[in-house]
Amino acid sequence: MRLSRRTLAVGAATAVAAAGTAFALSAAQAASAGTTSDAALVATLDQVLTDPRLDGSTTGMQVRDGATGRVIYSHNAGQRVIPASNEKLMTSAAALDVLGPGYRFHTVARYSGERSGSTVTGNLYLHGQGDPTLTYARFDALAAAVAGAGVKKVTGTLVADDSWFDHVPLGLDWSWQDETYFDNAPISALTVAADADYDTGALSIADRPGPAAGRAGVLTVTPANSVVTIVNHTVTGRPGSADTVTATRAHGSDTITVSGSTPLEPAAAHTSLVAVRDPAKLAIGVFRDALKRHGVTITGTTTSGTTPATGTTLLTDHASITLAQLLPSFLKLSNNGHAELLTKAMGRARTPGSAGGWPTGLAAATAALTGLGVDTGRISMGDGSGLSRRDWLTTAQIAALLNAAQARPWFPTWYAALPIAGDPDPLIGGTLRSRMAGTPAAENLHGKTGTLTGVNALSGYVKDASGRTLVFSSVSNSAPSSVADLLDRAAVALASSGTAQSAGLTRRRLNRVEVEPHVVTRNGEDVECSWVPGAC
């Protein structure tokens, strides 16, 4: 049975003004702009949320005036729901408070023992601190820096040091059947990014046709490495045929099997992204290959270990881009790995000297959210990305965070990093690039999506027709099929409200607005479109 509570609030909720931003009107302006049409907006949202497709679901929504925090609409807003990737709103805001927008991950190369000229009699250590931006090119730059420091030979071993974080690779309740997928890659303090989107702990495998139909296809692996074994079972299909190539990794192995057909004259490039078993092992392998290219010889083997606290000499310290610069690829592309690496980084910051992990990181995030005015008493956090089914919160808590965030100095950066509805650029529109196009929400709504089977979420900011900023959160659980288009319809109603002319919103008028369903599935499961290459 679906419970509901709808409120046209006349009293003020706890308000946090967005002073100093360009995203909200003054309280007086907002009240004047919204009073006429708020009743009509409530009626319209009621229509959307009583759609028969939501029967049997738990669907919550809250809308606030962005300038005053006044609650305009509330429907099941105190009901706990699984947020899916709306959890990333909590994680990113907490990380900006705990770590700061200028936070950088570091990757450090040091050697032990004695150095004579270009020879080190000792070991070479690569110490990772969770950098998700370590692409093939950046490992090459690390190796070039070692060679540039004059080291040409190391007589000992090459040591992968991933001790900055704990060695728990997967989050609570992550599904075993998603092991192959790059968006479920293991989390490690020493990792490697497959591409310029910083899909971490994964490999990118591009398939191309062979010389003729029936011949084997050609695969290109990024980052190139000698750690993972690729078994090529692809075949070249006829011109115009479909690309059916898939890549899977056997459980607990470093072997990836690529199968299917790639057309002789492909219309577009096709790429598969696959999670690796051990990101640190892949990273150190890529680094060793890069050292060899730059003329640095390692006499011993490659192993894992911890850099000694004393008695080592710094060769290079690579700093990543800032957290502020990372946010677009994190939020617009709903990158799970970034969320978890930041969670563990918050854990390390909370307990310096101890390995960062989910328990301490989630505790740090919860404390930061409390400081942002969010009532965390009813929040359960199982991870930082929203993959876990142990994540529970309410739409009222999400709306409270969105409202309070406007007063933070980092808000403009965070706001810009959210996906923007209907913008076709992947790093602007992100997971909303194909949604609400041609509606008043297009190029207007900044929000975060959330998609799992049985879960749809959309929360963020949208300007109504008067220019007033509305803060909203909507999450649906347990509907029989995707209801993302209903959440989009509610968001379009928000964007269409706000003037005396728009107060006449009716079911008939709203139904004339085209909101195209955008459902992406993978092996029968609903997922974020960014988790399927090319699907957004």
Side-chain angles (χ1 to χ4, degrees):
M1 181 177 186
R2 185 159 52 90
L3 302 175
S4 66
R5 178 174 62 85
R6 303 177 180 93
T7 305
L8 176 58
V10 292
T14 302
V16 180
T21 75
F23 306 107
L25 302 175
S26 72
Q29 288 173 309
S32 174
T35 301
T36 306
S37 64
D38 283 353
L41 174 61
V42 167
T44 303
L45 294 176
D46 282 352
Q47 291 174 2
V48 175
L49 297 185
T50 53
D51 189 287
R53 290 165 56 197
L54 294 173
D55 288 348
S57 73
T58 299
T59 301
M61 184 173 188
Q62 186 169 98
V63 181
R64 296 188 180 203
D65 183 308
T68 68
R70 180 175 64 92
V71 176
I72 296 170
Y73 182 79
S74 193
H75 171 94
N76 285 348
Q79 194 83 9
R80 279 164 42 106
V81 286
I82 296 171
S85 286
N86 264 208
E87 185 77 8
K88 294 182 176 77
L89 290 169
M90 303 302 201
T91 300
S92 56
L96 285 164
D97 251 21
V98 173
L99 303 173
Y103 178 81
R104 297 176 188 266
F105 299 89
H106 287 260
T107 307
V108 180
R110 307 182 73 93
Y111 70 83
S112 63
E114 300 295 327
R115 176 175 173 178
S116 176
S118 62
T119 299
V120 169
T121 304
N123 299 329
L124 179 60
Y125 299 86
L126 187 65
H127 183 199
Q129 297 180 10
D131 185 357
T133 72
L134 286 175
T135 59
Y136 180 85
R138 288 180 179 170
F139 274 105
D140 193 75
L142 274 167
V146 171
V151 173
K152 296 299 181 183
K153 182 178 180 180
V154 177
T155 64
T157 58
L158 177 61
V159 182
D161 182 355
D162 61 349
S163 62
W164 195 252
F165 296 159
D166 64 17
H167 292 119
V168 180
L170 302 174
L172 292 171
D173 287 352
W174 290 10
S175 177
W176 65 268
Q177 55 194 348
D178 293 339
E179 181 178 352
T180 290
Y181 301 130
F182 74 96
D183 46 277
N184 283 67
I187 305 303
S188 171
L190 183 59
T191 189
V192 61
D195 51 30
D197 290 337
Y198 307 132
D199 290 312
T200 188
L203 289 174
S204 170
I205 304 174
D207 58 269
R208 305 195 317 276
R215 301 287 294 274
V218 179
L219 303 178
T220 303
V221 179
T222 305
N225 69 93
S226 53
V227 173
V228 175
T229 299
I230 305 294
V231 178
N232 184 1
H233 287 167
T234 64
V235 65
T236 303
R238 299 186 309 276
S241 61
D243 193 312
T244 62
V245 172
T246 59
T248 59
R249 178 175 57 80
H251 173 68
S253 81
D254 292 320
T255 298
I256 295 172
T257 301
V258 189
S259 307
S261 174
T262 183
L264 184 60
E265 297 174 3
H270 182 264
T271 299
S272 303
L273 290 166
V274 185
V276 299
R277 178 182 63 87
D278 186 343
K281 181 179 178 181
L282 175 62
I284 202 68
V286 170
F287 183 53
R288 183 166 188 139
D289 292 345
L291 288 169
K292 183 177 180 180
R293 286 196 304 275
H294 287 278
V296 180
T297 300
I298 309 293
T299 302
T301 60
T302 301
T303 187
S304 59
T306 302
T307 307
T310 60
T312 61
T313 302
L314 177 69
L315 285 171
T316 185
D317 182 343
H318 170 77
S320 73
I321 58 176
T322 66
L323 173 54
Q325 292 168 315
L326 179 68
L327 280 179
S329 60
F330 171 24
L331 293 175
K332 290 183 185 291
L333 303 181
S334 202
N335 191 300
N336 295 326
H338 297 181
E340 308 306 352
L341 289 165
L342 287 168
T343 298
K344 291 198 174 191
M346 284 189 280
R348 180 80 192 201
R350 180 183 175 92
T351 55
S354 298
W358 274 293
T360 53
L362 295 173
T366 301
L369 293 171
T370 300
L372 277 159
V374 178
D375 176 6
T376 56
R378 302 183 68 196
I379 287 180
S380 299
M381 298 177 71
D383 64 8
S385 65
L387 281 175
S388 175
R389 299 274 177 167
R390 299 195 192 194
D391 295 321
W392 292 91
L393 43 71
T394 71
T395 52
Q397 290 165 322
I398 298 175
L401 169 67
L402 292 166
N403 196 67
Q406 295 176 100
R408 285 296 200 261
W410 44 256
F411 175 72
T413 298
W414 192 58
Y415 177 83
L418 294 170
I420 300 176
D423 193 301
D425 189 319
L427 277 178
I428 298 177
T431 55
L432 286 175
R433 64 189 293 239
S434 300
R435 290 171 60 171
M436 293 171 276
T439 75
E443 304 288 352
N444 169 7
L445 184 151
H446 290 226
K448 183 70 196 76
T449 57
T451 311
L452 294 172
T453 298
V455 181
N456 292 110
L458 178 63
S459 302
Y461 307 87
V462 65
K463 288 183 174 65
D464 70 11
S466 74
R468 174 179 61 161
T469 294
L470 298 176
V471 171
F472 73 96
S473 175
S474 54
V475 181
S476 180
N477 282 188
S478 302
S481 60
S482 174
V483 293
D485 60 309
L486 292 182
L487 303 188
D488 287 356
R489 189 169 291 279
V492 171
L494 297 179
S496 303
S497 69
T499 65
Q501 291 76 17
S502 69
L505 279 170
T506 63
R507 180 192 296 271
R508 184 175 60 186
R509 179 179 175 185
L510 183 62
N511 286 342
R512 288 203 301 267
V513 176
E514 291 293 331
V515 177
E516 294 292 332
H518 187 69
V519 182
V520 175
T521 61
R522 182 175 61 192
N523 286 345
E525 300 289 331
D526 292 353
V527 294
E528 292 272 46
C529 64
S530 55
W531 300 351
V532 178
C536 286

